[in-house]
Amino acid sequence: MDLTLDTVQMGETGLTVSELAFGTWRFGRETASGAVETDRETAHELLSTYEGAGGRFLDTADVYGGGKSERWIGEWLDDRDREEFVIASKVYWPTREDDPNGRGLNRKHLRHQIDAILDRLGTDYLDILYIHRWDAETPAREFMSTLDEFVASGRVHYLGASTFRPNAWRLARANERARNRDREPFTLTQPRHNLVDREIEGEYLEFCREEGLAVFPWSPLAQGFLTGKYTRDDGLVGESTASDSEGWEQRYLTEENFAVLDVVQDVAGEVGATPAQVALAYHTHHPDITAPLLGARTVDQLEENLRAATVSLTDDQFERLDGAREGPFDRFLSG
């Protein structure tokens, strides 16, 4: 591609990452019909396309494709310099059937999974390890001490918390306990955030700002809604796997969301970009967002999304996008 992604600082750490991260949750994923959404060959093509644009920030998880995502990334890395890439994975969900300890953040599961993750990726260390969900059944002191053990041993460099939950107070308490015991705290988060999903605005995003935590939002295109391939009258226009998600239509195909999409499309016309590129550019211009996670099923989709890095928004355009839908805190003040 005729572009090279810039890098950004990862919060208040010393690490820099690509301004657009590449999420690999589709790798090896089976749809409701049993078809594999992204096979091994396509996965490697997508990785090479991202690399060709200067992308070096890869995001995966131990459960993506039942481990295939990590394995395929590891195979692709075989003839590359591992040190050039920042690799993030996640842990929490069940990985061993009929094993009550084969899930969550208990010490036994964490120690087992870090070895399995590194083995599939074919690497000695992870740059980032996220907890994929908060585990209310395991004391924070237990999983924070185990995660600190991974950092101390060099198998993990940085710790993160994925999804909207844990809430800000849980993150704050976990980090306070870690610091009081001279252990590694969470230094980055990965919540859902886009122009229609604004639930982290208010306390959570303010906490990340005050603590200097990096924020890498997933679903920046609202599971495809912000690409413009859905209309008020006809719903889906083109191909999508969104129908696999229970309650998707009720969540996204609302008049309130279409009003946001109208603004996205207006700005896209003004800057000569696609709606998807504008929705992603909103994140690259957002002062509290470090880098959004891209997802793509085809090389063409990925190339389109990567060109969001070339889109410049004026202050007025950013403010129109940002104000197209009120966040929960704004609704509270106005209601």
Side-chain angles (χ1 to χ4, degrees):
M1 291 186 65
D2 56 346
L3 70 88
T4 300
L5 295 178
D6 288 334
T7 57
V8 294
Q9 201 74 20
M10 192 177 81
E12 294 185 352
T13 73
L15 190 69
T16 60
V17 296
S18 301
E19 62 181 321
L20 297 172
F22 183 43
T24 63
W25 70 277
R26 297 178 185 275
F27 288 10
R29 176 179 179 266
E30 290 190 7
T31 65
S33 64
V36 175
E37 191 167 350
T38 300
D39 60 23
R40 178 180 177 275
E41 181 179 356
T42 304
H44 286 183
E45 289 177 356
L46 291 168
L47 289 167
S48 295
T49 299
Y50 179 67
E51 178 192 30
R56 297 294 185 272
F57 188 11
L58 306 177
D59 182 271
T60 186
D62 58 357
V63 293
Y64 290 172
K68 291 186 179 71
S69 176
E70 291 174 333
R71 190 173 299 111
W72 293 348
I73 291 172
E75 293 169 355
W76 180 81
L77 284 170
D78 272 348
D79 57 355
R80 290 168 171 81
D81 184 355
R82 162 50 181 119
E83 289 299 315
E84 292 183 1
F85 296 87
V86 173
I87 302 176
S89 193
K90 311 177 192 73
V91 61
Y92 172 81
W93 293 111
T95 55
R96 302 189 298 281
E97 293 183 7
D98 303 321
D99 181 356
N101 293 316
R103 60 159 293 162
L105 302 178
N106 66 77
R107 182 168 290 127
K108 180 179 177 66
H109 184 58
L110 288 176
R111 287 177 173 169
H112 179 274
Q113 283 307 101
I114 189 62
D115 290 338
I117 290 169
L118 295 178
D119 182 65
R120 284 191 291 267
L121 286 168
T123 183
D124 296 328
Y125 69 94
L126 277 177
D127 296 283
I128 297 165
L129 178 63
Y130 289 101
I131 59 169
H132 213 158
R133 293 291 189 277
W134 189 264
D135 185 355
E137 297 179 359
T138 301
R141 64 178 180 274
E142 177 178 330
F143 62 73
M144 292 304 291
S145 67
T146 309
L147 294 172
D148 178 73
E149 169 190 308
F150 297 163
V151 175
S153 68
R155 287 181 289 175
V156 172
H157 288 168
Y158 299 95
L159 302 177
S162 181
T163 74
F164 173 47
R165 293 179 174 83
N167 296 321
W169 69 267
R170 283 177 167 163
L171 262 180
R173 191 160 70 174
N175 275 3
E176 180 182 15
R177 287 175 172 172
R179 292 190 179 107
N180 287 342
R181 292 166 173 78
D182 197 27
R183 291 171 178 162
E184 185 72 14
F186 294 116
T187 53
L188 59 150
T189 65
Q190 191 184 94
R192 176 175 57 193
H193 184 261
N194 53 62
L195 282 164
V196 297
D197 291 310
R198 311 287 287 270
E199 63 262 41
I200 68 169
E201 294 178 7
E203 180 186 78
Y204 189 95
L205 206 54
E206 182 179 350
F207 167 76
C208 293
R209 183 189 315 124
E210 292 297 320
E211 288 289 301
L213 302 182
V215 180
F216 300 111
W218 58 271
S219 195
L221 299 179
Q223 289 186 273
F225 175 79
L226 292 170
T227 64
K229 62 184 173 184
Y230 298 87
T231 70
R232 287 176 171 85
D233 295 332
D234 301 322
L236 173 65
V237 178
E239 296 182 358
S240 175
T241 58
S243 58
D244 281 355
S245 301
E246 184 177 352
W248 188 91
E249 290 187 11
Q250 292 78 7
R251 180 180 185 87
Y252 288 109
L253 302 189
T254 67
E255 178 54 36
E256 185 178 28
N257 289 348
F258 277 114
V260 175
L261 184 59
D262 288 341
V263 178
V264 173
Q265 292 173 322
D266 287 345
V267 173
E270 294 167 10
V271 299
T274 66
Q277 290 166 348
V278 167
L280 291 166
Y282 165 74
H283 272 150
T284 62
H285 287 68
H286 198 297
D288 295 323
I289 300 299
T290 310
L293 270 72
L294 304 181
R297 291 185 295 111
T298 68
V299 168
D300 287 344
Q301 282 182 348
L302 180 56
E303 290 181 341
E304 175 190 348
N305 291 345
L306 287 168
R307 293 191 188 283
T310 67
V311 175
S312 294
L313 301 176
T314 66
D315 290 344
D316 175 71
Q317 288 167 336
F318 177 85
E319 289 170 5
R320 283 159 54 198
L321 292 166
D322 195 48
R325 178 171 181 175
E326 295 178 334
F329 189 61
D330 298 316
R331 291 195 202 97
F332 174 76
L333 289 178
S334 62

